Structures are given as structure tokens and as C-alpha cells.
Amino acid sequence: MNNPCDLNMNFKEQIQKNRIPRHIAIIMDGNGRWAKRQGLARMYGHRQGVETVHTITEAAAALGVEYLTLYAFSTENWNRPKEEVDALMTLLVDTIAKETPTLMKNNVRLSTIGDLSRLPENTQRKFKDCISETSQNTGLNLVIALSYSARWEIIQATRNIASALQRGEILLEDINEEVLSSYMTTAQMPDPDLLIRTSGELRISNFLLWQLAYSELYFTDCLWPEFTEEEFYRAIVDYQHRERRFGKTSEQIH
Ligand code: FPP
């Protein structure tokens, strides 16, 4: 079988430096399948996946991407076997502790989106520490979606708008796209320009449903642990060849 990740082309050279996507979101998928193919336990795949997170974060920072949002743990992932959930939480804590110096070195600012209250206390604490340590960095914003789902986020936003309405802080007729966006967990960020999903699955899986309205979608058969810098550059080159019309005609754009 051909490996979809064996790339000979030099995509980095083809990137137009003045049209780097401001915000790239990634559904990192295929860790389990990658491990299974090697006859290993699923956690080996997740551990290898962390190496890919490291590589892609450094590549994004070097290119001048402003926001990189990674779907690390969905609301639905709580339904996985307890041993896998526990091992993933330990991996997250260890990774954050180990990677904080690399984030500092690369001027990366960490933040999270999702229902962090469901995470074990030490996991929450490690993330809070790293968020505070990197808060003054001015380069790439690395956003980790943890215990996140878009439907959860939309429900939170709706509740908060309804309660602001009840308190008389906003009027019904004031509710528009901008207001709804400001109640999302991503309020301070631009919408993703590009969404990448690895492993050949062609789904959004409850990720950033509101924010992805006009994002360009890029799917690759490559599994996350084998997703390389070159694959990342290839996705960006592909994005740069798209025509983003936002509902307008091609003639209006040119
Ligand atoms: C999807 O693969 C991957 C996950 C649910 C976890 C991803 C988490 C990491 C790579 C660690 C992230 C670490 C940081 C610090 C962001 P899967 O298990 O669904 O694979 P499968 O579909 O092949 O079973």
C-alpha cells in the first residue's frame, strides 16, 4: 500500500509568505490506528502524536501563523475506556510540563477552550500554570481544545446570552453574528482560515461548528503520528490555491 505521507516535493518553497493563514485548526486523528498497525497499544500512538504536536507547533510558529487550534480531547472522548482516558490525562500533564520551555523558546502563548472543570485537578492546574507562564509571549497562540465540543460551546453561549437578556444587559434585537461570536470560547480569535483533519475521516466531529462556516477544509489520509512538517506545508500550499469567495461571485473577488 502507498504511504500517503511519503512526500518528495518541497512544499515549503512553494508557500507564499504574504498569504499565510492566520488561524489553522487541526483535528488530530489516527493515533490508535497508527499504533495498531505497528502491533502496539493505542497509547503508543498518542505518545507519538505528541511528537507531531511538537513538530507542527514549531513549524507554525516559524511560519508566522497567529493561531493554531488543536482538538486534543472532545466531550465525547470521556466515553472511551477509563484506562485510556486516565492515560491521556497523564500524557497531557507530562507533555505540558515538558514542553513549557519549548513554548517559551518559541515565544508561543498557550490557551485552552472547553469544559476544563471536568478535567482532573492536577491536569487543570498544570494547564493554568503553563497558560500563566506563557501569557506574555507575543508569537503563535497555541489553543488546545480540551473536553471541548461545539454543541457544548453553543449551549453555553445561548445560556449566557439568555441570562444577559434576563438581566437587561442586552436587547433581543441586538443579538447578531458579532454578539453570538463574542459569547463563544473563541471570542478573542479570528475564525479558522484552514481546517486540517488527518487519517482519512471526512467529518467535522463537533469541532468549532460556528467558527468553521467559511473555513477551507483539508483532509489527508496521513495518520496524525506520521503527519510531517512537509505534509503541513502541503496543506498550506493547497489552501493558498483556493479561491475564498465568502458567498460572493468569482468576478466580485477579482
Ligand atoms: C485521535 O486519535 C487523537 C486523540 C483523541 C488524542 C490526541 C491527543 C494527543 C495527540 C496528545 C495531545 C497533546 C497535546 C499537548 C495537545 P484516535 O485515538 O481517535 O485514533 P483512532 O481514530 O485511530 O482510534
Side-chain angles (χ1 to χ4, degrees):
M1 197 171 73
N2 282 341
N3 183 343
C5 314
D6 276 345
L7 296 172
N8 299 318
M9 303 261 308
N10 190 342
F11 288 102
K12 192 176 186 183
E13 271 175 16
Q14 297 175 41
I15 293 177
Q16 300 167 47
K17 297 286 181 326
N18 57 345
R19 290 187 52 216
I20 301 291
R22 286 185 71 194
H23 184 174
I24 300 180
I26 307 185
I27 302 179
M28 311 178 286
D29 198 9
N31 293 349
R33 274 163 286 166
W34 180 86
K36 200 170 167 195
R37 273 187 205 168
Q38 338 271 320
L40 299 169
R42 294 177 56 81
M43 274 317 291
Y44 283 91
H46 294 314
R47 276 188 215 115
Q48 196 58 40
V50 168
E51 298 302 317
T52 310
V53 169
H54 180 107
T55 307
I56 300 307
T57 303
E58 282 198 324
L63 278 178
V65 172
E66 289 176 50
Y67 293 86
L68 178 67
T69 301
L70 303 177
Y71 205 3
F73 195 87
S74 72
T75 307
E76 291 73 25
N77 286 154
W78 288 115
N79 299 322
R80 289 193 174 195
K82 185 177 179 314
E83 312 80 71
E84 183 169 341
V85 171
D86 290 349
L88 266 171
M89 291 302 143
T90 306
L91 180 66
L92 282 167
V93 167
D94 292 351
T95 304
I96 285 306
K98 186 170 145 249
E99 293 290 332
T100 305
T102 316
L103 299 181
M104 294 305 291
K105 186 186 99 198
N106 290 290
N107 195 21
V108 176
R109 185 165 165 260
L110 184 83
S111 62
T112 54
I113 53 172
D115 185 3
L116 259 64
S117 67
R118 292 187 69 180
L119 297 169
E121 227 166 78
N122 68 324
T123 314
Q124 292 185 38
R125 207 171 35 244
K126 272 279 172 308
F127 271 93
K128 277 186 192 142
D129 289 349
C130 183
I131 288 168
S132 135
E133 195 172 337
T134 61
S135 64
Q136 301 304 314
N137 290 344
T138 53
L140 173 73
N141 287 282
L142 175 63
V143 184
I144 310 288
L146 270 178
S147 188
Y148 171 90
S149 81
R151 288 185 175 181
W152 164 83
E153 177 183 44
I154 291 167
I155 289 168
Q156 295 310 309
T158 309
R159 284 186 182 157
N160 290 333
I161 290 174
S163 98
L165 203 72
Q166 252 177 359
R167 291 194 302 270
E169 289 165 12
I170 53 170
L171 300 171
L172 190 58
E173 52 275 26
D174 289 340
I175 300 172
N176 55 23
E177 278 194 26
E178 213 177 300
V179 169
L180 193 38
S181 292
S182 74
Y183 278 82
M184 294 290 172
T185 57
T186 51
Q188 309 304 321
M189 313 173 201
D191 286 342
D193 300 295
L194 170 64
L195 170 79
I196 299 172
R197 181 170 190 154
T198 59
S199 92
E201 306 292 354
L202 308 178
R203 289 188 290 274
I204 301 296
S205 298
N206 215 349
F207 190 41
L208 301 173
L209 295 180
W210 170 262
Q211 298 85 342
L212 290 173
Y214 284 102
S215 308
E216 295 297 327
L217 309 182
Y218 181 89
F219 298 100
T220 168
D221 286 339
C222 200
L223 304 173
W224 181 249
E226 60 196 7
F227 188 77
T228 58
E229 245 175 286
E230 260 313 287
E231 262 294 337
F232 182 60
Y233 300 142
R234 177 195 227 173
I236 294 173
V237 170
D238 189 276
Y239 160 85
Q240 291 184 332
H241 287 110
R242 311 268 182 101
E243 181 184 66
R244 303 190 75 193
R245 292 198 293 277
F246 299 96
K248 294 182 180 168
T249 67
S250 191
E251 290 70 26
Q252 284 175 299
I253 302 296
H254 293 291

